[in-house]
Amino acid sequence: TRMEQMAKELSTNDAQINDFESKMKSMIAQITESGKDIEARDGEIAKLRNALEEAEKRAQSTMSAEGKKTEQLVVELERAKKELNESLAYADSEIKDRDEAIKTKDAVEVELQTKL
């Protein structure tokens, strides 16, 4: 009869609705779980980003400190070069003066020997 057929269709529709609701609940649970996984991964990514930023800051600070040390060493090296050049110039001058004194002494000795 028509009523039985409608009852059967309603029963089938109810079963399909219940199946659909079950699938929807399962999908919502999966989405919720995925959201938790994403939040956890976001937290891990944020920690890694922070660690990377800290490492970059430390590296930059170290490079800056090394740069300052290098600058100081260059200044010290230039000062040492200047002192060495000044010392060499003074030594050269002393050598020339002594050479002149020896030549003068030798000339005086020759002159004295010729007079004797």
Side-chain angles (χ1 to χ4, degrees):
T1 71
R2 177 90 175 130
M3 284 295 259
E4 289 175 349
Q5 189 178 12
M6 286 176 72
K8 192 175 184 183
E9 285 178 13
L10 280 174
S11 177
T12 302
N13 286 343
D14 280 346
Q16 287 176 344
I17 289 172
N18 287 338
D19 186 48
F20 180 75
E21 284 178 347
S22 176
K23 287 179 181 178
M24 287 298 291
K25 286 179 184 177
S26 175
M27 288 173 65
I28 289 171
Q30 288 176 350
I31 290 170
T32 302
E33 191 63 33
S34 293
K36 289 178 184 175
D37 288 346
I38 289 170
E39 288 175 4
R41 288 184 182 144
D42 282 348
E44 290 174 18
I45 289 170
K47 287 178 185 177
L48 290 172
R49 279 188 183 138
N50 289 339
L52 177 61
E53 287 174 5
E54 287 299 315
E56 286 174 344
K57 286 179 186 175
R58 284 193 303 270
Q60 193 173 36
S61 175
T62 299
M63 286 174 50
S64 176
E66 289 299 317
K68 287 179 183 175
K69 285 180 185 177
T70 301
E71 286 177 23
Q72 289 172 346
L73 290 173
V74 167
V75 167
E76 183 64 24
L77 179 61
E78 290 300 320
R79 186 192 59 76
K81 279 183 181 180
K82 182 180 176 188
E83 286 180 10
L84 180 61
N85 285 335
E86 289 172 355
S87 294
L88 289 172
Y90 177 77
D92 191 46
S93 172
E94 284 290 312
I95 290 170
K96 287 178 183 176
D97 289 349
R98 288 182 185 176
D99 187 48
E100 286 297 319
I102 291 172
K103 286 180 184 177
T104 303
K105 178 186 94 56
D106 288 346
V108 168
E109 281 181 1
V110 168
E111 188 178 322
L112 286 176
Q113 284 179 357
T114 56
K115 287 184 180 180
L116 291 175

